[in-house]
Amino acid sequence: MEKTKILVICASPRKKASLYVAEQAAKAAAEFDPRIETEVVSFAGKKIEPCNGCGYCKENKCWCIKKDDMQEMFDKMLDASGVIVVSPVYVMAATPQLHAFCSRMRPAMHCFPELLRNKFFAAVGVGGTRNGGEETTVSDIINLFGTRTMNVVTNEVGGYTGGKVWSQDKGPEGCQADTIGMK
């Protein structure tokens, strides 16, 4: 039986509500089909510098010259068939850490474009207040990964583009209370 690997990326620099949602997403995916294998990776405690546009990768057809936690996390993404990206709302968008991660995917676009082509991803925004930027965060994630040739997975009929969870600024307990968002 061939396995499908789904990587769940928690883009939060903390280990609270978004990590809980990422773990629940991984659990739900694994329970959906026994052929699905999941792994959760967290940005908490990781150092990922943003791209500074030096052009080294394009000039040398190689990965970024910066040495931090980016390449290890990116390699996990390359190994997966699909990705679920979970980010808390930071000023109506995904975290700066996720923006840095995506900016560093530049070599994948310009040097190795076949690596991400036809991979699928889904987006989840976690906000402290209801309608507090979850929708714009999901759109931000879609833009960040969609521009890297990846394909977005959406929900059922109705045009919904990703999960939106309300933590009520109460961490995992607040997320558990949002039965609609967790569903």
Side-chain angles (χ1 to χ4, degrees), residues 64-83:
C64 184
I65 194 168
K66 293 182 178 191
K67 302 299 176 212
D68 57 16
D69 295 314
M70 167 60 185
Q71 195 63 49
E72 176 187 353
M73 294 185 81
F74 186 71
D75 288 345
K76 288 178 182 282
M77 193 170 85
L78 290 177
D79 189 45
S81 301
V83 181

Side-chain angles (χ1 to χ4, degrees), residues 51-130:
C51 175
N52 63 9
C54 73
Y56 184 88
C57 61
K58 286 176 69 174
E59 291 169 15
N60 295 284
K61 300 290 183 222
C62 65
W63 296 110
C64 184
I65 194 168
K66 293 182 178 191
K67 302 299 176 212
D68 57 16
D69 295 314
M70 167 60 185
Q71 195 63 49
E72 176 187 353
M73 294 185 81
F74 186 71
D75 288 345
K76 288 178 182 282
M77 193 170 85
L78 290 177
D79 189 45
S81 301
V83 181
I84 299 171
V85 183
V86 180
S87 178
V89 177
Y90 273 46
V91 194
M92 305 304 275
T95 62
Q97 291 82 358
L98 186 60
H99 280 259
F101 180 82
C102 290
S103 76
R104 293 277 297 285
M105 283 197 249
R106 190 173 188 206
M109 263 317 279
H110 297 289
C111 304
F112 312 105
E114 69 286 349
L115 293 178
L116 293 177
R117 190 171 290 127
N118 297 322
K119 283 196 183 283
F120 289 89
F121 75 96
V124 180
V126 180
T129 60
R130 174 70 65 203

Side-chain angles (χ1 to χ4, degrees), residues 2-70:
E2 188 176 328
K3 292 277 188 178
T4 297
K5 184 168 185 181
I6 297 177
L7 181 70
V8 184
I9 297 174
C10 177
S12 177
R14 303 181 309 158
K15 293 183 177 182
K16 293 195 175 186
S18 295
L19 183 57
Y20 170 79
V21 171
E23 290 167 344
Q24 294 305 303
K27 181 180 172 187
E31 289 173 352
F32 180 76
D33 189 314
R35 295 171 293 183
I36 295 176
E37 174 185 311
T38 63
E39 180 181 2
V40 177
V41 295
S42 173
F43 283 11
K46 303 285 189 212
K47 181 180 180 186
I48 301 171
E49 292 183 39
C51 175
N52 63 9
C54 73
Y56 184 88
C57 61
K58 286 176 69 174
E59 291 169 15
N60 295 284
K61 300 290 183 222
C62 65
W63 296 110
C64 184
I65 194 168
K66 293 182 178 191
K67 302 299 176 212
D68 57 16
D69 295 314
M70 167 60 185

